[in-house]
Amino acid sequence: MSRRTARLIPFLAALAFAAPAMADTHYTVSPSCGDQKHCFTRLQSALDTAKADTSDQWITIKVAAGDYYEKVTISRHKIRLIGAGPVHTRLHYDAVAETAGKYHRRNWGTPGSATLTINADQVTVEGITVENTFDYLTNDALPDAEPKKISNSQGVAVLLDIDSDRVLIRDAALIGYQDTLFANGKRAVIRDSLISGNIDFIFGNGQVLIEDSEIRTRNRAVAIAPGEFHSYLLAPSTPLSQPVGIVVYRSKLTREAGVPDHSVALGRPWHPTTTFADGRYADPYAVGQASFIDCVMDAHIHPDHWTSMNGTARDGTKTAIFHPQNSRFFETGSTGPGAAHRDIGITWKDALDIKAVRRHLSPGWPEASAP
């Protein structure tokens, strides 16, 4: 045996001994675990166990086919949540903003209503349906004067919370009505998925690329007068310092049966009510950025494509009006019966093309590059 070989033996032995610790850790979630090791019947139990692992390795949680009624939070970095496919694996909960403030650190009902909260860096969610099952339609059908009507009817399916970054969602279904996807963190890519809802159902200040997906408008229970907007796809509140908000690329804009023609806006500008030194009012620096690039639009899309949104004035009333012409809204390459639109004076031209969007999202995160 040579000296060189002799010196290598301890090194190779140590490397072989260390190898198992470097491999991904795997857990299973199933309605029935039986004698399976590392198996949990509740998804949050698996995530709590994963959080106790303070290593820097990835942890994969495989979620078997089944219906899981839970309110779930991912707060550990490097988590893969892999279901058996959105038809087979379903996570659902029925919280609503009116009563969900208790779930949020600042008693804010909208994020508190989320079925799945992601508040970590490097998270993948795949092959799963995440749904908020609050009975929106029954509530929507009630007259405004009805005491039983819930006024804050937001029901979030997925919350990308403030510490989320590098979140990849693919082959998934995010289902709700009002406020389905709340992008309140940093970078996220949603790929080959379905997002459904009606009122502002993709919204927030995060940087989100939705590609090769379906954005499906769901029906309302209340009657909508001719000429009024039935619903709105996007409500970005992008900070002015951020060049990318919500970008929809190469996706299909569809609708449920009963959603009228020419009744749905691509988006409207959300200026969240914010506390400043001189009062509490709509944030003037939240100038929403939204782009639709090479999308197919069904006939439910309104010929104006974009519309305005009310916000909180300095006197506390909801009388401030924010217009799409003063926002960062952009579209190119639209096709389908809803692609034709009137010129309402959208003049902003500084939107990044898809290659530039990917470059902006991808530093330290190769998954943001083209699939």
Side-chain angles (χ1 to χ4, degrees):
M1 180 186 298
S2 69
R3 279 187 189 175
R4 183 172 181 274
T5 302
R7 287 196 303 267
L8 278 173
I9 286 175
F11 172 76
L12 293 172
L15 186 63
F17 180 80
M22 296 170 63
D24 288 5
T25 299
H26 288 77
Y27 300 131
T28 299
V29 177
S30 174
S32 178
C33 285
D35 295 329
Q36 293 183 70
K37 293 183 178 180
H38 309 298
C39 182
F40 303 84
T41 57
R42 293 181 61 79
L43 184 51
Q44 191 63 57
S45 298
L47 287 163
D48 290 344
T49 302
K51 189 176 180 181
D53 183 340
T54 58
S55 72
D56 195 44
Q57 67 185 9
W58 279 88
I59 294 179
T60 298
I61 300 174
K62 294 186 177 180
V63 188
D67 247 19
Y68 300 88
Y69 178 69
E70 298 188 58
K71 202 172 188 302
V72 170
T73 298
I74 300 174
S75 54
R76 185 201 188 272
H77 70 291
K78 292 188 177 179
I79 290 287
R80 295 189 185 97
L81 197 64
I82 311 296
V87 174
H88 304 291
T89 301
R90 175 175 174 251
L91 172 66
H92 61 101
Y93 203 77
D94 51 2
V96 64
E98 184 90 354
T99 55
K102 60 187 177 182
Y103 297 114
H104 187 256
R105 58 188 171 272
R106 297 179 62 187
N107 199 39
W108 184 8
T110 297
S113 71
T115 298
L116 173 62
T117 296
I118 301 174
N119 199 34
D121 183 21
Q122 297 187 80
V123 173
T124 295
V125 176
E126 182 176 347
I128 189 169
T129 288
V130 183
E131 183 172 1
N132 187 304
T133 53
F134 166 67
D135 191 357
Y136 178 92
L137 290 180
T138 295
N139 186 69
D140 194 39
L142 296 174
D144 290 341
E146 168 58 54
K148 294 182 179 179
K149 184 162 186 174
I150 292 174
S151 56
N152 296 318
S153 56
Q154 299 90 339
V156 175
V158 173
L159 166 65
L160 305 175
D161 211 350
I162 55 174
D163 292 322
S164 67
D165 192 21
R166 295 186 284 184
V167 174
L168 175 62
I169 299 175
R170 61 189 174 201
D171 187 28
L174 315 182
I175 298 176
Y177 282 95
Q178 184 175 359
D179 289 6
T180 303
L181 173 63
F182 188 0
N184 198 38
K186 300 179 181 68
R187 295 169 291 173
V189 171
I190 299 173
R191 190 173 285 155
D192 300 315
S193 295
L194 165 68
I195 308 173
S196 69
N198 52 28
I199 304 298
D200 303 325
F201 63 98
I202 304 170
F203 72 110
N205 61 15
Q207 303 168 82
V208 182
L209 171 60
I210 302 167
E211 60 181 342
D212 297 315
S213 294
E214 178 186 354
I215 298 178
R216 183 186 301 163
T217 299
R218 303 186 77 182
N219 225 322
R220 301 280 305 275
V222 68
I224 304 297
E228 291 187 359
F229 282 96
H230 170 282
S231 53
Y232 319 87
L233 305 186
L234 313 183
S237 56
T238 322
L240 264 177
S241 58
Q242 194 170 287
V244 172
I246 302 172
V247 177
V248 183
Y249 172 58
R250 213 166 50 193
S251 295
K252 295 180 180 179
L253 313 186
T254 66
R255 56 177 164 171
E256 288 183 345
V259 175
D261 287 352
H262 314 308
S263 66
V264 177
L266 295 179
R268 56 181 183 166
W270 178 38
H271 289 252
T273 303
T274 305
T275 301
F276 298 96
D278 60 346
R280 183 169 170 78
Y281 48 88
D283 186 352
Y285 306 106
V287 182
Q289 196 285 311
S291 297
F292 286 84
I293 303 172
D294 298 342
C295 291
V296 180
M297 304 181 179
D298 202 352
H300 62 303
I301 300 303
H302 193 282
D304 285 351
H305 278 202
W306 311 92
T307 191
S308 59
M309 188 174 189
N310 282 32
T312 304
R314 288 177 180 265
D315 63 3
T317 63
K318 286 282 187 180
T319 54
I321 301 176
F322 297 96
H323 300 282
Q325 294 84 354
N326 300 321
S327 304
R328 293 179 289 167
F329 292 163
F330 177 79
E331 66 174 297
T332 184
S334 302
T335 59
H341 60 278
R342 290 192 285 256
D343 182 1
I344 63 168
I346 300 292
T347 58
W348 186 71
K349 302 295 183 185
D350 292 333
L352 302 181
D353 63 22
I354 189 60
K355 290 182 179 179
V357 169
R358 292 193 195 282
R359 285 196 300 271
H360 178 78
L361 296 178
S362 62
W365 190 31
E367 288 86 349
S369 300

